[in-house]
Amino acid sequence: MAPPPLLLLRLLLVAAAASSRMATIRCHGYQYNASQGPLVTAVIAFGDSIVDPGNNNDLHTQIKANHPPYGKDFFNHEATGRYSNGLIPTDLIAQGLGVKQLLPGYLGVDLSPEDLLTGVSFASGATGFDPLTPVVVSVISLEQQLAYFDEYRAKLVAIAGEEETDKIIRGALFVVCAGTDDVANTYFTTPFRRVVYDIPSYVELLVSGAEAFLRNVSARGATRIGFVGMPPVGCVPSQRTLGGGLRRECEPRRNEAAQLYNARIQGMIAGLNAEQGFGTLVVYLDIYRILDELMERGDRYGFTETTKGCCGTGTIEVTGLCDSRFVSVCDDVSQHVFFDSYHPTERAYRIIVDDIFDNYIQVLV
């Protein structure tokens, strides 16, 4: 079924706006011809707080960032629910691919047809591949995120028709970012999993969950997925505080878990890509190396504080504890790798996304 005339006009206007940009743009070290339009049809994200632009805002959970000082450097200083002082990685990825300036959340905002046609994020802060992880903190599971995607796809069909929807999905870049909350929160902070699993067996639980999720995304028509690996969890400010002793050193067991997870995930992804009949390219996106570099040699990038966040003491404040009504923020956010005790600043995110574009984007587009 062809899209209605008014919808067709909207689609043409979106395409015209994209193609009217400057002819050649060098973004994140990757050069492309913007006059040819966006490099992908849409950006669609699943996962946790790193790629959540505000889907938790209306949930009955403490895991929210829709209050100051979050968003202090965002447009109009608005706390949208993004877990940073400004933009988050999926915004920067959407910009870098020439799709749009911001990747909106699926929930709690009025989405225009143009918003839907070019992609959304279904991510929910503090979720994970362990099915227990979202239950502990009352956030959206990855299974529910897939259900929201099915709902979203039906909206695309209503807007543009089945054929155009298939083209959008096939031409989209899917981003999956989860796992860190499983290790940092569910395994090391609560007692529920440690009594049953050692670190290797818990990693296997996560890898199994990740594989099932990737298969489900592939079955829904995705042709390319960027899968974000785990960072050095033990060096995140809150994890230094909780497990690093009086000197707040990097906690080695958390980092060992992250390294084991990353190795096993890469093996699993290689297996999927080699599997006959699996029609999706999955690309592992390593962020461990660049974040480790920022935390160990931050001065090379102009950072003066790499072990504490900008919010409050910088050692433990995150989500509800990072609230301008109760705590202050640092004078110069740009000097900090982390904004709160868990999430990087926009400037750090830009360096991380630069690294992704430099090393992986040519494979994904």
Side-chain angles (χ1 to χ4, degrees), residues 42-191:
V43 176
I44 297 171
F46 299 96
D48 58 25
S49 57
I50 303 302
V51 293
D52 176 5
N55 287 315
N56 279 12
N57 289 355
D58 294 331
L59 300 183
H60 295 293
T61 180
Q62 296 299 310
I63 314 300
K64 299 182 183 183
N66 59 344
H67 54 269
Y70 292 105
K72 70 182 296 293
D73 299 307
F74 194 77
F75 308 111
N76 298 320
H77 310 292
E78 183 182 0
T80 60
R82 288 169 169 82
Y83 298 78
S84 188
N85 60 302
L87 303 179
I88 58 175
T90 35
D91 298 320
L92 300 172
I93 290 170
Q95 289 178 16
L97 295 175
V99 176
K100 52 187 172 184
Q101 291 299 302
L102 299 172
L103 191 72
Y106 181 65
L107 301 176
V109 291
D110 293 325
L111 295 170
S112 69
E114 290 79 8
D115 288 328
L116 292 167
L117 290 167
T118 50
V120 297
S121 173
F122 301 97
S124 176
T127 200
F129 293 117
D130 180 348
L132 180 62
T133 298
V135 174
V136 170
V137 286
S138 303
V139 297
I140 304 166
S141 68
L142 287 164
E143 182 180 9
Q144 181 60 51
Q145 290 182 34
L146 285 172
Y148 283 136
F149 173 82
D150 293 340
E151 182 181 283
Y152 160 78
R153 191 187 185 284
K155 292 180 180 181
L156 287 185
V157 172
I159 292 169
E162 186 69 45
E163 184 177 348
E164 186 64 28
T165 294
D166 283 343
K167 289 180 181 178
I168 291 169
I169 299 303
R170 287 198 308 271
L173 172 63
F174 286 73
V175 178
V176 177
C177 178
T180 302
D181 289 289
D182 295 311
V183 170
N185 298 334
T186 306
Y187 190 80
F188 281 104
T189 304
T190 73

Side-chain angles (χ1 to χ4, degrees), residues 51 175-178 226-230 261-262 283-287 356:
V51 293
V175 178
V176 177
C177 178
F227 187 98
V228 181
M230 202 176 289
Y261 169 87
N262 288 340
V283 177
Y284 174 78
L285 307 178
D286 173 28
I287 63 168
I356 289 173

Side-chain angles (χ1 to χ4, degrees), residues 268-349:
M268 179 270 288
I269 288 174
L272 287 178
N273 287 332
E275 184 178 303
Q276 189 173 2
F278 185 77
T280 304
L281 172 66
V282 183
V283 177
Y284 174 78
L285 307 178
D286 173 28
I287 63 168
Y288 192 105
R289 173 186 45 78
I290 185 60
L291 257 172
D292 186 58
E293 175 81 7
L294 292 181
M295 289 185 281
E296 293 296 323
R297 288 169 284 278
D299 57 312
R300 296 183 182 179
Y301 298 85
F303 294 108
T304 59
E305 179 53 73
T306 64
T307 68
K308 296 180 181 179
C310 178
C311 185
T313 65
T315 60
I316 202 67
E317 294 86 351
V318 64
T319 61
L321 295 178
C322 178
D323 189 320
S324 291
R325 294 174 299 173
F326 314 118
V327 299
S328 60
V329 293
C330 61
D331 294 330
D332 189 353
V333 180
S334 69
Q335 299 295 305
H336 286 246
V337 172
F338 291 92
F339 183 62
D340 60 20
S341 67
Y342 200 81
H343 303 97
T345 58
E346 179 184 321
R347 191 163 92 79
Y349 276 143

